[in-house]
Amino acid sequence: MVSRRGAGERRRTKPAVIGGVAAVLVAGAGFGAYAVYGGEAEAEDTARTKSAAAQEKVKTGPLTATEVTGTAERFLTAWQQGDVTAAADATDDAEAAKALLTGYTKDARIKDVTLTAGTPAEGKVPFSVKATVAYEKTSKPLTYDSALTVVRRDGDGEPRVDWHAAVVHPELKDGDKLVTGKAGDPPVKALDRDGGELTTDTYPSLGTVLDSLREKYGDKAGGSPGIELRAVRGEKNGGDEDGKKEKAGADKTLLELSKGTPGTVKTTLDPALQAAAEKQVDGKKQASVVLLRASTGEILAAANGGHGFNTAFQGSLAPGSTMKVITASMLLEKDLASVNEQHPCPKYFTYGGWKFQNDDEFEIKDGTFKASFARSCNTAFISQAPELKDDDLTKQAKEVFGLSMDNWSVGVSTFDGRVPVQSQAQMAASLIGQGGVRMNPLNMASVSATVKSGSFHQPYLVAPSVDGRKLATASRTMSGATLGALRELMSYTAAAGTAAEAMAGVGGDVGAKTGSAEVDGQEKPNGWFTAYRGDVAAAGVVQQGGHGGETAGPIVAALLKQAG
């Protein structure tokens, strides 16, 4: 009996399972196969079924007009209502869209947004934006036109807004953002030493100087910055690594809510001398000049014929024979030269494998060091190279003349000269202002000022008392004997040497030195001239001008004459 009940139970159970299997088979052979044969077969078939179903769900083909207008309406309505999440979901990059749309309100301070769609064309929908930008107590209307494009999203083919930052504002690139706030440094009104305003209308050369003054003193001059809406560039578009502080010129102002109030910065520029300097370089695109008060370092005038770059302060050019002022001071200190004693000036001198010569291969037989300096004899200086250490000239430039230390604090950006340690032929070339030596008119005006005053006074355009900065100093001064000899050399050059023609008519206590610097690829050398008269020192350069006495000389001499 027990056996029969068991058999009956087995019979009642088995058909239920089979019947179930039979039913599934009718509905679909895949699932029936799993019930009869096991899980692996069903897994494979289920994957095929799901793949086929997914393919059926992916939307393909051109977008319909309804899809385009519906998607655009969904996005624009959500954006206008401030529903950032819904607006972002209507795009194909919800994360990026949400971040930028959130910043639209939070960072850009844009409110009361009204978006009006135009007529769609081939999936593109133009729209206009009317809104208000409000920052603290300042607000201003904002209007602009933009556009969006509807595309099929990868994966499911659903219509979505093709997300790019330009959808929010056409001036944006992907990675940028909108920010409303203070417009960087406040404007600065620069004043001359008498209190008059310095403008580029009056003094065209000062454009780069005024920009530099704003950058350095904008937050110290007592002004207030303007308020503006601007496109802030991301790192890949010119901004820094966190997109907060951008490189110069990377941002773009989209709306100015208010203008800033300028602060004032007083400079040392003399209005009459600055006007004269501008006149001297006018029409000479490659001419630059600087005037200093020798006893203090105050910059009285600075001008550039080409207004795009401040060569007067930031140029880096071989100074040619004007460098012989520094070299002469070193030779005098080392007793390798004496003003009125005989000094060799042969036609040629070979050192370090290079054959050096004088201009037009001249020589001075049985001449003095004074004669060699006045005529700018190259070999008179090169011939002393065997007696020098590689770093002697570098030390002289730094320790006595305050050059090549990269620590001048003028009030604006400057290049402080370069006198590197060199050896062999390059060291010899440095003695006459070639090789690796680099200067600008500010540096060489300072050299003449050091000779005139007896000690180095770092040049400055803004008094250090304005911002408490420390001026550079030199570690030592020349001896009285060396200084007197150097002044005698420069005075004789101004009276009877290569500088005599330019300095004719410039009376008083004067000294000068000319220079011509050869530059590879140039047909003519750069012409240099440095000089002093009384308590005023000056230097100038005319690039590709030729001999310094004929090109830069008249510019410098005219300004010294006016300075009195």
Side-chain angles (χ1 to χ4, degrees), residues 247-539:
K247 296 177 182 177
D251 282 3
K252 183 168 184 178
T253 299
L254 304 178
L255 181 69
E256 186 178 62
L257 280 71
S258 66
K259 293 184 178 295
T261 302
T264 58
V265 175
K266 192 172 185 179
T267 70
T268 58
L269 293 176
D270 181 288
L273 292 177
Q274 180 62 34
E278 297 275 354
K279 184 177 180 180
Q280 284 296 319
V281 301
D282 185 37
K284 305 179 183 75
K285 291 185 177 181
Q286 293 183 298
S288 301
V289 66
V290 172
L291 277 79
L292 305 175
R293 188 169 300 286
S295 60
T296 63
E298 296 168 88
I299 298 173
L300 302 176
N304 299 284
H307 305 148
F309 179 70
N310 189 0
T311 301
F313 287 178
Q314 295 177 289
S316 177
L317 305 168
S321 292
T322 55
M323 186 68 185
K324 290 173 183 173
V325 176
I326 298 175
T327 306
S329 73
M330 177 183 65
L331 298 180
L332 290 167
E333 282 189 342
K334 292 181 176 295
D335 292 328
L336 295 175
S338 182
V339 174
N340 293 308
E341 291 184 4
Q342 285 190 358
H343 195 91
C345 175
K347 289 182 179 181
Y348 312 104
F349 191 87
T350 300
Y351 185 75
W354 286 14
K355 184 178 182 180
F356 296 89
Q357 67 180 50
N358 299 316
D359 188 27
D360 293 331
E361 301 179 8
F362 76 83
E363 65 179 332
I364 303 175
K365 294 182 178 180
D366 301 324
T368 63
F369 185 57
K370 179 192 285 188
S372 290
F373 186 92
R375 285 194 63 183
S376 203
C377 175
N378 291 333
T379 58
F381 293 82
I382 300 293
S383 65
Q384 305 308 305
E387 308 300 322
L388 299 171
K389 296 178 181 178
D390 289 345
D391 64 349
D392 279 344
L393 186 64
T394 302
K395 286 182 177 179
Q396 190 76 4
K398 289 182 175 182
E399 294 174 1
V400 177
F401 293 90
L403 294 163
S404 197
M405 298 191 295
D406 196 28
N407 64 348
W408 288 15
S409 185
V410 174
V412 295
S413 298
T414 61
F415 172 70
D416 304 344
R418 178 172 173 263
V419 187
V421 176
Q422 297 184 289
S423 60
Q424 296 298 314
Q426 290 290 344
M427 183 271 279
S430 294
L431 300 176
I432 58 173
Q434 300 279 176
V437 176
R438 296 292 181 269
M439 298 288 170
N440 55 47
L442 178 65
N443 306 146
M444 294 314 301
S446 179
V447 169
S448 283
T450 298
V451 175
K452 179 62 184 71
S453 68
S455 60
F456 169 68
H457 298 280
Q458 186 223 281
Y460 64 88
L461 185 69
V462 177
S465 58
V466 171
D467 52 357
R469 70 188 190 282
K470 185 178 180 180
L471 301 183
T473 58
S475 61
R476 65 184 180 88
T477 59
M478 290 176 279
S479 67
T482 298
L483 183 61
L486 196 57
R487 287 172 177 167
E488 184 178 344
L489 292 176
M490 292 186 70
S491 178
Y492 182 69
T493 302
T498 56
E501 184 176 350
M503 293 293 284
V506 183
D509 179 15
V510 299
K513 184 70 188 78
T514 62
S516 299
E518 301 291 338
V519 179
D520 289 343
Q522 285 187 195
E523 184 177 346
K524 292 183 178 181
N526 294 337
W528 285 85
F529 199 93
T530 185
Y532 61 80
R533 180 195 186 197
D535 195 29
V536 177

